[in-house]
Amino acid sequence: MENDVATLLNRHSEALALFTERVHAVRADQWDDPTPCTEWSVRDLVNHLTSEQLWVPDLVTDGVGIDDVGNAYDGDVLGAHPRASWDAAARAARRAFGASGALERTVLLSYGETPAVAYCAQMITDAVVHSWDLSRAIGAPERLPDALVSFALDEVTPYASELSKSGLFAPPIEPPPGDSHQTVLLALLGRRA
């Protein structure tokens, strides 16, 4: 289990670093540009992921539930300094998951009690896929690291077909035969590479 935890934390750090790199590549004139997430601009996408990171200390460290936090992270969490806001939220999330015993806990998510390891795996996958979204939106390299793609593909494959029912994800699409793991991952989440 210790090696699994170390691997999970490494993937989490790598996913946050990847998204951080993309956030810092956003030019001043790109914040309002569209993204593959059809209803989100670049700023909306970064705001979404920043908000998600802000939840981690509350859920993992403090053990509070969604209802306890309420709407604290609704709306604009980026303020006047989007990069700095992202950086601070990502650091706090990394610290929360990396704290001794944190991944042995259970967190209270919107759909019920969830092992912190599963929550962390979901957060990794979200950061990986949204790194591709942000890359496409700002014209950054779209190739994602193989280890992160493999991790995200293993994580999302068992439940990908159910995600579109939530209304938060596009329905899966059929990837071209024999295509890369990255293309398969993106297709599972309704994206065309």
Side-chain angles (χ1 to χ4, degrees):
M1 174 70 172
E2 189 172 305
N3 190 35
D4 291 343
V5 166
T7 299
L8 189 67
L9 290 174
N10 284 339
R11 293 291 96 80
H12 183 253
S13 291
E14 292 163 5
L16 291 180
L18 178 65
F19 196 78
T20 298
E21 181 181 292
R22 297 307 189 266
V23 170
H24 284 265
V26 177
R27 295 188 320 263
D29 64 342
Q30 291 181 310
W31 289 100
D32 292 325
D33 287 357
T35 70
C37 303
T38 55
E39 297 184 11
W40 285 346
S41 66
V42 167
R43 185 179 175 92
D44 295 333
L45 176 61
V46 174
N47 189 72
H48 164 70
L49 224 63
T50 302
S51 175
E52 284 196 339
Q53 305 319 305
L54 291 171
W55 280 94
V56 176
D58 290 336
L59 299 176
V60 175
T61 306
D62 298 338
V64 299
I66 299 281
D67 292 338
D68 299 316
V69 177
N71 62 2
Y73 306 123
D74 288 357
D76 179 26
V77 296
L78 296 179
H81 305 286
R83 289 180 192 87
S85 297
W86 161 257
D87 290 346
R91 277 192 306 272
R94 191 169 27 256
R95 272 194 310 272
F97 278 129
S100 179
L103 292 177
E104 297 166 14
R105 298 180 186 140
T106 298
V107 295
L108 297 170
L109 301 180
S110 59
Y111 51 86
E113 291 188 356
T114 303
V117 291
Y119 176 43
C120 186
Q122 292 166 16
M123 295 289 283
I124 293 165
T125 300
D126 207 41
V128 170
V129 173
H130 285 318
S131 290
W132 179 86
D133 292 331
L134 189 52
S135 297
R136 175 149 288 189
I138 67 171
E142 294 179 15
R143 179 86 175 114
L144 302 170
D146 290 340
L148 288 175
V149 169
S150 293
F151 179 92
L153 188 58
D154 287 348
E155 168 63 21
V156 81
T157 297
Y159 56 83
S161 63
E162 299 296 310
L163 290 175
S164 65
K165 293 177 185 174
S166 71
L168 300 174
F169 297 86
I173 58 175
E174 191 66 35
D179 223 331
S180 72
H181 285 174
Q182 178 171 315
T183 303
V184 171
L185 171 66
L186 296 172
L188 279 173
L189 297 170
R191 293 158 168 86
R192 291 193 191 281

